[in-house]
């Protein structure tokens, strides 16, 4: 029963559901001995030289507010990093904002561009944090089901979902939960489709350092796209720095100026100590991801081989650290499959529906876990799958 004061709480916020990842995660303690393949963060520690830089920053009393957009040094380093690695060119002075993780970056972008009634097109299945932010802005998410195109958002599919209310398209590649990247020719077709349209593109490139086939390419590098694209990226995955909460927005000044106001009033600035760590990561640690990338790639191959041996259909991912096999042949919903596997085989994976309804028929397995855990988790999964017949 709602009290009268509860009735006064923002209905948009009350309507937000607890994420499916969290719901599944909350069940794990009920099953002692269960192994978790649900984790969405690197199992590596933050590189030592980055930790040392943060300790020095504390000793040198770099413990005050910084410029709202972050220190000019960290913005210059971010500018240098994305130019070296991806050919993106953004001015440190007025085109880059340092945020509290990519989570906050996504929030300030959406708040700067959305109005009630407008639509945001996004490929599904997709990272679950976009939809609540879209709904809080009284805008509408429009999912493009990518299940029958190997989780690739094709220009043709995208075109069918654009309306005169479309304010923005989200391109989250490499993808959480599928691990897919967009092939260069598809990215070009999408750029050609969107170039002359009156809308923005949010390119969430948080897994850009974890690409196993080919090179990461940003849509903002295509002719005419920089003006309408906001690139978000960060250090959580590339440098195993989830807890430091450092992200960035890269966008032309006319957009960055508006986002900076939102960021100023909700956060003031990112942590000064974390910014010092980020400066080190983006300069002396420009290649820090390469070792991790090799380990992840081997694990990816291992997981995919094991799943195929179990008879599961799997699209071999080319990035991030997730695999998203189909479980539809068992006739169970992805939620029931995950809950039963947890109870009967003591291994946790994330049901596909945690990533919108377009994830039904799949589960997400994270390989950001030690190889021994991964191997035992997959042994248990194999026994469970056999028991289903
Ligand atoms: C696609 C995607 N975007 C953004 C984030 C948020 O990352 P951060 O830790 O930088 O807030 C995540 C985290 O899992 C993610 O998977």
């Amino acid at each position: 029963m709602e009290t009268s004061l509860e009735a006064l709480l923002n209905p948009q916020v009350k309507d937000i559901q607890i994420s499916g990842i969290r719901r599944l995660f909350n069940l794990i303690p009920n099953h002692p001995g269960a192994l978790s393949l649900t984790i969405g963060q690197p199992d590596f520690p933050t590189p030592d030289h980055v930790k040392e830089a943060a300790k020095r920053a504390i000793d040198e009393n770099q413990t005050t507010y910084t410029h709202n957009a972050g220190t000019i040094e960290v913005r210059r380093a971010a500018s240098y990093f994305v130019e070296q690695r991806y050919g993106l060119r953004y001015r440190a002075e007025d085109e880059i904002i340092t945020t509290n993780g990519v989570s906050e970056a996504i929030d300030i972008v959406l708040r700067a561009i959305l109005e009630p009634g407008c639509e945001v097109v996004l490929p599904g299945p997709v990272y679950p944090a976009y939809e609540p932010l879209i709904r809080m802005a009284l805008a509408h998410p429009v999912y493009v089901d990518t299940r029958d195109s190997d989780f690739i958002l094709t220009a043709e599919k995208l075109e069918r979902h654009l309306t005169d209310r479309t304010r923005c398209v989200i391109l989250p590649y490499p993808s959480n939960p599928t691990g897919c990247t967009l092939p260069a020719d598809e990215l070009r077709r999408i750029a050609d489709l969107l170039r002359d349209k009156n809308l923005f593109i949010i390119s969430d490139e948080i897994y850009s350092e974890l690409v196993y086939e080919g090179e990461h390419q940003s849509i903002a590098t295509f002719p005419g796209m920089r003006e309408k694209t906001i690139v978000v990226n960060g250090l959580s995955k590339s440098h195993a720095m989830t807890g430091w909460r450092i992200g960035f927005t890269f966008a032309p000044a006319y957009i960055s100026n508006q986002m900076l106001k939102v960021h100023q009033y909700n956060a003031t600035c990112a942590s000064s100590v974390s910014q010092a760590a980020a400066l080190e990561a983006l300069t002396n640690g420009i290649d820090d991801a390469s070792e991790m990338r090799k380990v992840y790639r081997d694990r990816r191959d291992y997981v995919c081989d094991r799943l195929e041996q179990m008879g599961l259909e799997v699209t071999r991912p080319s990035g991030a650290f997730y695999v998203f096999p189909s479980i539809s042949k068992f006739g169970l919903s992805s939620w029931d499959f995950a809950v039963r596997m947890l109870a009967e085989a003591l291994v946790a994976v994330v049901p596909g529906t945690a990533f919108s309804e377009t994830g039904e028929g799949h589960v997400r397995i994270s390989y950001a876990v030690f190889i021994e855990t991964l191997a035992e988790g997959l042994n248990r999964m194999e026994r469970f799958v056999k028991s289903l017949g």
Side-chain angles (χ1 to χ4, degrees):
M1 259 279 275
E2 267 192 355
T3 67
S4 56
L5 282 176
E6 261 181 325
L8 299 181
L9 293 170
N10 182 339
Q12 263 68 47
V13 176
K14 282 195 284 183
D15 278 354
I16 295 172
Q17 305 296 314
I18 308 174
S19 94
I21 304 180
R22 181 54 52 186
R23 271 173 60 211
L24 197 283
F25 203 73
N26 290 346
L27 298 179
I28 299 177
N30 302 340
H31 301 281
L35 293 178
S36 175
L37 304 181
T38 63
I39 309 296
Q41 64 179 336
D43 55 308
F44 295 94
T46 300
D48 284 342
H49 69 107
V50 174
K51 293 192 273 196
E52 289 307 320
K55 291 179 202 166
R56 275 197 307 277
I58 294 173
D59 288 340
E60 291 166 7
N61 292 318
Q62 293 181 35
T63 52
T64 60
Y65 296 130
T66 67
H67 187 292
N68 292 132
T71 64
I72 189 66
E73 291 81 9
V74 80
R75 282 180 279 147
R76 284 194 186 122
S79 170
Y80 178 79
F81 186 93
V82 295
E83 180 167 2
Q84 294 302 307
R85 301 284 301 138
Y86 318 121
L88 291 165
R89 301 184 69 150
Y90 290 92
R91 278 194 307 270
E93 289 71 21
D94 57 356
E95 295 186 323
I96 299 178
I97 302 172
T98 315
T99 56
N100 291 285
V102 173
S103 305
E104 196 224 345
I106 296 165
D107 183 42
I108 66 170
V109 182
L110 289 171
R111 285 207 266 170
I113 66 179
L114 295 185
E115 285 181 83
C118 65
E119 295 173 354
V120 178
V121 179
L122 61 175
V126 76
Y127 174 58
Y130 308 117
E131 178 168 336
L133 297 172
I134 295 165
R135 291 201 184 279
M136 278 193 281
L138 301 179
H140 307 291
V142 176
Y143 288 100
V144 182
D145 191 338
T146 61
R147 276 174 294 192
D148 64 0
S149 50
D150 281 343
F151 307 118
I152 305 282
L153 177 66
T154 62
E156 191 213 338
K157 277 189 175 177
L158 175 58
E159 186 167 23
R160 279 189 263 124
H161 291 77
L162 298 178
T163 71
D164 53 8
R165 290 180 303 280
T166 308
R167 180 63 56 89
C168 153
V169 174
I170 301 184
L171 290 183
Y173 291 99
S175 156
N176 172 8
T178 69
C180 288
T181 56
L182 279 187
D185 52 349
E186 202 58 66
L187 197 59
R188 185 171 313 107
R189 277 193 283 274
I190 291 176
D192 290 344
L193 170 69
L194 299 181
R195 183 166 295 112
D196 297 325
K197 301 255 186 307
N198 248 343
L199 48 75
F200 296 105
I201 299 160
I202 300 177
S203 188
D204 183 344
E205 303 182 16
I206 190 165
Y207 295 98
S208 59
E209 285 292 288
L210 303 180
V211 171
Y212 311 117
E213 253 76 61
E215 296 282 307
H216 174 72
Q217 202 173 5
S218 173
I219 194 161
T221 58
F222 287 82
M225 303 313 286
R226 186 185 187 280
E227 275 315 290
K228 53 174 49 185
T229 302
I230 302 102
V231 175
V232 296
N233 208 332
L235 299 181
S236 291
K237 319 287 171 168
S238 62
H239 288 74
M241 289 178 68
T242 47
W244 300 78
R245 314 305 305 130
I246 290 288
F248 297 97
T249 60
F250 302 88
Y254 80 95
I255 307 174
S256 293
N257 292 340
Q258 302 307 318
M259 295 194 296
L260 188 58
K261 290 190 280 186
V262 183
H263 170 71
Q264 170 176 2
Y265 292 116
N266 82 6
T268 305
C269 63
S271 148
S272 58
V273 174
S274 296
Q275 288 186 52
L279 174 59
E280 173 68 19
L282 292 165
T283 50
N284 297 320
I286 196 161
D287 293 320
D288 277 356
S290 66
E291 278 310 303
M292 296 187 251
R293 192 162 46 233
K294 282 187 207 136
V295 175
Y296 288 137
R297 192 180 42 215
D298 288 348
R299 289 185 196 164
R300 175 204 61 172
D301 290 339
Y302 173 72
V303 177
C304 289
D305 291 350
R306 292 282 318 259
L307 292 172
E308 278 164 8
Q309 284 155 15
M310 288 178 214
L312 298 184
E313 238 178 73
V314 50
T315 305
R316 194 166 287 242
S318 37
F321 38 58
Y322 311 106
V323 184
F324 203 60
S326 169
I327 48 91
S328 61
K329 69 176 189 180
F330 301 111
L332 295 172
S333 70
S334 68
W335 175 258
D336 287 347
F337 180 94
V339 170
R340 274 190 56 186
M341 187 161 79
L342 176 59
E344 295 171 27
L346 295 180
V347 59
V349 296
V350 182
T353 43
F355 309 97
S356 89
E357 283 308 313
T358 58
E360 186 53 284
H362 295 261
V363 292
R364 187 190 78 175
I365 296 172
S366 163
Y367 50 88
V369 288
F370 287 125
I371 188 72
E372 291 77 12
T373 310
L374 200 53
E376 175 56 19
L378 290 167
N379 291 345
R380 293 180 187 191
M381 181 166 180
E382 186 167 14
R383 286 197 288 273
F384 176 68
V385 162
K386 274 197 188 132
S387 78
L388 292 177

